[in-house]
Amino acid sequence: MSDESDPIEAGLRTEGVRVTRQRLAILHVLREATDHPRAEDILARAKEQDPSVSQATVYRTLSVLEKAGTVLRNEFDGAGARYELAEGGHHDHLIDLDTGAVIEFHSDKIERLQAEIAAELGYEIEWHRLELYGRKSGRRR
Amino acid sequence: MSDESDPIEAGLRTEGVRVTRQRLAILHVLREATDHPRAEDILARAKEQDPSVSQATVYRTLSVLEKAGTVLRNEFDGAGARYELAEGGHHDHLIDLDTGAVIEFHSDKIERLQAEIAAELGYEIEWHRLELYGRKSGRRR
DNA sequence: AAGGGATCTGAGACTCATTCGCAACTTGAG
DNA sequence: CTCAAGTTGCGAATGAGTCTCAGATCCCTT
Ligand SMILES: [Zn+2]
Ligand SMILES: [Zn+2]
Ligand SMILES: [Zn+2]
Ligand SMILES: [Zn+2]
């Protein structure tokens, strides 16, 4: 049932992480997702594929995948955490306050500036979080 | 009992926000604080001044002060929210992963870059959050 | 292909920060 | 001083996320 040609799956397996039916369903959901879904959404979508998936397993799996570096967990303003696959490299987010849409962006310049600032303070950044909250230009508040 | 010469207090009053004993105690705690305290800490410290302050009031007051622009609410990684007075202008935070210390910094360059990036995407930033998580340079992980 | 021990999983109880509901109490305009 | 509107304390209620544990699965070994 498992597709050995899949790199993520193979990677997990070699890391000693068991690849179960439920985990595959959750991984599948994340692959299809384009919207940084919340655990709740992931559960609903995973159940369509495999009704046996439970809430606890969604949280546990997301946690496992995060530790394995496969998944990224975002905590945008308030509300619960939102997840996405880590493939594709680092990026930051711009959240549309009117629609809730999440737009991804990346700026080497900003990344570099952050490192410089930290260095000036005598620190080395382990990770960071940059979120911009705004609305489309020229839109009444 | 109220000191009319205090700008924050006067400001709240003119905004129609009632200045109560409890609110003064909480404001006082925030003025003395240098550590971005959590609601729990604020409650404990406020009680030293006025034992009648309750948990619900701390949350309600912080919410009122936040809406009034007097207080800033930060949600650093995990755990609960941490507060600070808004006076002193905008700044971002660097959190020491080893000690938990919160260091403030400000970079016009980064602020400008953020606006530029948002503009390129057709957006205007309403607010943003930039948090750097790191450790003192040259420290084994 | 079969065995079996370590890993998972589902269901529901549980945690913990924050919010609510409501009767009693204060504040501050007049 | 008076009183309506705004606040408060208490305890109950939320809600995202975690934990417990018996039973189900995975997958390494023979
Ligand atoms: Zn970044
Ligand atoms: Zn993203
Ligand atoms: Zn900033
Ligand atoms: Zn600060």
Side-chain angles (χ1 to χ4, degrees), chain A residues 18 20 22-23 52-54 57 60:
Chain A
R18 283 194 184 171
T20 65
Q22 295 86 337
R23 288 178 177 179
S52 83
V53 178
S54 72
T57 291
R60 278 183 300 221

Side-chain angles (χ1 to χ4, degrees), chain B residues 51-69:
Chain B
S52 83
V53 178
S54 72
Q55 186 198 49
T57 290
V58 167
Y59 280 110
R60 278 182 300 221
T61 297
L62 288 171
S63 172
V64 165
L65 295 179
E66 191 194 358
K67 274 169 199 143

Side-chain angles (χ1 to χ4, degrees), chain B residues 5 10 15 32 41-42 47 54 57 61 92 104 113 118 121-122:
Chain B
S5 70
E15 266 191 69
E32 300 291 284
D41 307 314
I42 295 172
K47 272 189 164 166
S54 72
T57 290
T61 297
D92 295 298
E104 307 187 329
L113 270 176
L121 294 168

Side-chain angles (χ1 to χ4, degrees), chain A residues 80-96:
Chain A
R82 301 179 62 169
Y83 306 81
E84 66 182 309
L85 280 187
E87 60 179 13
H90 172 73
H91 60 260
D92 295 298
H93 301 98
L94 162 58
I95 292 86
D96 185 316

Side-chain angles (χ1 to χ4, degrees), chain B residues 11-85:
Chain B
L12 291 176
R13 228 182 280 271
T14 53
E15 266 191 69
V17 177
R18 284 193 184 172
V19 178
T20 66
R21 193 157 30 92
Q22 295 86 337
R23 287 178 178 178
L24 284 174
I26 291 168
L27 257 180
H28 181 255
V29 168
L30 290 171
R31 286 180 143 114
E32 300 291 284
T34 63
D35 60 339
H36 300 76
R38 300 137 149 289
E40 188 186 359
D41 307 314
I42 295 172
L43 171 61
R45 296 177 201 175
K47 272 189 164 166
E48 285 172 19
Q49 229 196 300
D50 178 345
S52 83
V53 178
S54 72
Q55 186 198 49
T57 290
V58 167
Y59 280 110
R60 278 182 300 221
T61 297
L62 288 171
S63 172
V64 165
L65 295 179
E66 191 194 358
K67 274 169 199 143
T70 304
V71 157
L72 293 180
R73 172 188 175 124
N74 300 292
E75 278 187 49
F76 299 147
D77 192 36
R82 301 179 63 168
Y83 305 81
E84 66 182 311
L85 280 187

Side-chain angles (χ1 to χ4, degrees), chain A residues 120-139:
Chain A
E120 273 169 35
L121 294 168
Y123 280 82
E124 248 165 64
I125 301 177
E126 192 101 340
W127 64 281
H128 70 268
R129 155 208 245 155
L130 170 58
E131 290 154 23
L132 307 182
Y133 296 81
R135 346 183 95 91
K136 282 224 164 85
S137 302
R139 232 196 183 219

